[in-house]
Amino acid sequence: MSDFSLESQEDGPVEDDAAAPADAPAQPYLVLARKYRPTRFSDLIGQDAMVKTLANAIEKDRIAHAFLMTGVRGVGKTSTARLIAKALNCIGPDGDGGPTIDPCGVCEPCRAITEGRFIDVVEMDAASHTGVDDMREIIDASRYAAVSARYKIYIIDEVHMLSKNAFNALLKTLEEPPAHVKFIMATTEVEKVPVTVLSRTQRFDLRRIPPELLFDHFKTIAATEGVDIEEAALKQIASAADGSVRDGLSLLDQAIAHGSGLVTAEAVRGMLGLADRARVRTLLGHILDGDAKAALDELNAQYVAGAAPDQTVEALLGQVHAITRMQLGADPDLTTGPEGRQKLSEWAEQVGPATLHRLWQLLLKGLEEVKRGTMPLETAEMAILRTIHAAQMPDPGALMKALDRASDSDAGPAPAADRAAPASVPTAMLSEDIAEREAGAAGPEGSETPARSPQIEGLPREFDQLLDFFVKADPRVEAWLHDEVGVVRYEGEDLVLSGREDRDLVGRMKTTLREQLGADLRIVFQDDPGAMSKKAREDARIAAERQRVMSDPNVKKLLDAFPDAELVGYELETENDGARDGEAPDDRQRTAL
């Protein structure tokens, strides 16, 4: 068909050499994700280990009968399956080639597979063909040789969607397929694939693509398409793609349409609904400075500008994480510019790790509340106010060091404790004379009860041994002796007790001793306020230790600084200093909270 010309009354005839034939159909627009789908292994980015393994397998003719591609969406699982099909069936431009890791792309099998019309490469979507009947069709068809290819290849996408019966039907053929058949499966949820299937395939885990590689890839595509786009915008798209090439290309497509000319970082930020990093750092600065009003004003200004509250809180978390990384010597993410790096570096030197951890936990909890709540802006405001309050709290370790220094410089005896002892423990039991009274009542070897005079054959010598005996013989008697009675005297066959008398338990105690030890024990009761039960003695000791801890100057200052705090636990350690040059050891007790 000959070219045609357009005539203008003013300029005369003008020939349009580039005009297409009048009856030529318009070519539909092809999205970037499909237009730049890899057509050879060299086009795959970030999957070098898999490509090397396949290249060695093809070169040494050690090609597996079944492959499984797994990874997140958009990293090239289905594209890799098609590339394997091309690599195994390529015959070269001259028609005499064999399997190769670098298919020619011009032979009939290569072109037909690329266009999706090759009869010996069957693609099946397991999401819509989940039943055992679909698997039966594949099994029956696999018995026949390929029509025109070297291998008949079945590509099963989203294989984890197959039913249990479908998997079971496929197992035998998958393990021992005919020599002319290859299976290539792809899935995003490999944990749902039965182990019996995994054991019959050669598995390749396709990795997420790093943002740096995505940025270079998108930059090349933008240059090829003739798109004027800022590098900062490309970095934002690469970061938002989250390791997926397809997601990133879809975002790039959208950004080109959204920009309608020059694609700026601000336009991409608005398209993605992201918070401005610079403004987020301003908000974080207000939080660290404790300026609540300025922080709420900045949060509301970002909300009016279009940033959702949950995205702002999430961006704050990202900045806290970046500061923590810089403290460890690692670089922040790709989208942080030089100015942002300088600010993060300053914070990394000024803010301690404990404060950063508190900020992270509080903001993370706030993010959950904002996403779950019905008033996101108000919830975000309250979360930031809570974070500001916590950020100003002193670090516990630094506070204790300051209290230690204050205690060392404080002269004079320590003041008495300001807080009362627990009401359940009598105050008299907290006095120092408890230890003296127990020491006076103790026997020659420091035991809690007097030593017995001549030992009666069969009876335990000490009261503690008597308790140990009843732990197994009669636990109820042992509990009564331990908790409710005190020993006045234990000599020979006489046991004098003070406390709650229980005739039934006394009778059981005598009967048990007679039957198991063959000995009689006379048990009498008399009132003696000084005869305390073992339980009361232990409670008094614990109460006295607690009182000693509460009297410690450091503890007092700490409780004064935090009036609502409670002492929930402590540990008393003994340090032995001295024992040098003949000196006696100096036993000191140190409070450890």
Side-chain angles (χ1 to χ4, degrees), residues 224-307:
T224 304
E225 292 289 317
V227 177
D228 191 6
I229 182 171
E230 294 180 354
E231 286 196 0
L234 282 175
K235 290 179 179 179
Q236 290 178 354
I237 293 174
S239 179
D242 195 23
S244 170
V245 182
R246 185 175 63 236
D247 288 4
L249 289 175
S250 299
L251 291 175
L252 180 59
D253 233 338
Q254 184 180 353
I256 294 172
H258 183 79
S260 185
L262 173 64
V263 183
T264 64
E266 184 177 357
V268 172
R269 187 183 304 113
M271 180 193 77
L272 298 176
L274 300 176
D276 188 339
R277 291 291 183 92
R279 300 193 66 172
V280 170
R281 286 191 289 271
T282 300
L283 176 58
L284 181 58
H286 294 324
I287 292 175
L288 293 175
D289 292 339
D291 193 341
K293 183 179 184 305
L296 294 187
D297 290 343
E298 179 61 30
L299 175 66
N300 281 270
Q302 294 187 28
Y303 179 75
V304 173

Side-chain angles (χ1 to χ4, degrees), residues 215 344 351 435 448:
F215 170 74
L344 293 177
V351 184
E448 295 182 352

Side-chain angles (χ1 to χ4, degrees), residues 207-437:
R207 303 178 181 275
R208 292 179 183 268
I209 313 302
E212 294 79 7
L213 287 180
L214 288 177
F215 170 74
D216 294 337
H217 185 56
F218 296 159
K219 186 176 181 180
T220 302
I221 291 177
T224 304
E225 292 289 317
V227 177
D228 191 6
I229 182 171
E230 294 180 354
E231 286 196 0
L234 282 175
K235 290 179 179 179
Q236 290 178 354
I237 293 174
S239 179
D242 195 23
S244 170
V245 182
R246 185 175 63 236
D247 288 4
L249 289 175
S250 299
L251 291 175
L252 180 59
D253 233 338
Q254 184 180 353
I256 294 172
H258 183 79
S260 185
L262 173 64
V263 183
T264 64
E266 184 177 357
V268 172
R269 187 183 304 113
M271 180 193 77
L272 298 176
L274 300 176
D276 188 339
R277 291 291 183 92
R279 300 193 66 172
V280 170
R281 286 191 289 271
T282 300
L283 176 58
L284 181 58
H286 294 324
I287 292 175
L288 293 175
D289 292 339
D291 193 341
K293 183 179 184 305
L296 294 187
D297 290 343
E298 179 61 30
L299 175 66
N300 281 270
Q302 294 187 28
Y303 179 75
V304 173
D310 60 330
Q311 292 174 339
T312 302
V313 177
E314 191 169 350
L316 284 171
L317 280 166
Q319 294 298 299
V320 173
H321 177 256
I323 297 172
T324 306
R325 285 179 58 86
M326 294 203 74
Q327 283 186 342
L328 301 176
D331 290 332
D333 58 26
L334 180 69
T335 58
T336 304
E339 182 180 353
R341 290 171 183 265
Q342 176 64 27
K343 190 62 179 176
L344 293 177
S345 178
E346 294 176 3
W347 280 332
E349 296 177 358
Q350 298 171 0
V351 184
T355 301
L356 289 175
H357 292 322
R358 284 203 303 273
L359 286 174
W360 175 267
Q361 293 296 333
L362 291 165
L363 289 173
L364 190 62
K365 179 176 176 58
L367 178 61
E368 296 174 358
E369 294 174 351
V370 172
K371 289 184 175 181
R372 189 173 59 248
T374 56
M375 299 183 295
L377 179 60
E378 291 80 358
T379 306
E381 287 181 344
M382 298 306 295
I384 286 179
L385 289 176
R386 183 174 62 216
T387 305
I388 290 175
H389 175 71
Q392 303 307 309
M393 293 178 63
D395 179 68
L399 181 61
M400 288 303 300
K401 290 181 180 178
L403 291 174
D404 287 340
R405 289 194 296 268
S407 176
D408 293 340
S409 62
D410 192 11
D418 293 335
R419 297 178 178 243
S424 58
V425 181
T427 307
M429 292 185 179
L430 301 178
S431 60
E432 294 290 341
D433 60 349
I434 292 178
E436 296 178 2
R437 184 167 59 183

Side-chain angles (χ1 to χ4, degrees), residues 27 37 56 83 110 185 254 272 328 330 332 420 429 477 526 538 549 565:
Q27 291 294 327
R37 172 171 280 176
N56 293 336
L83 289 177
C110 286
M185 295 172 284
Q254 184 180 353
L272 298 176
L328 301 176
M429 292 185 179
V477 170
Q526 72 178 38
E538 292 172 0
V549 171

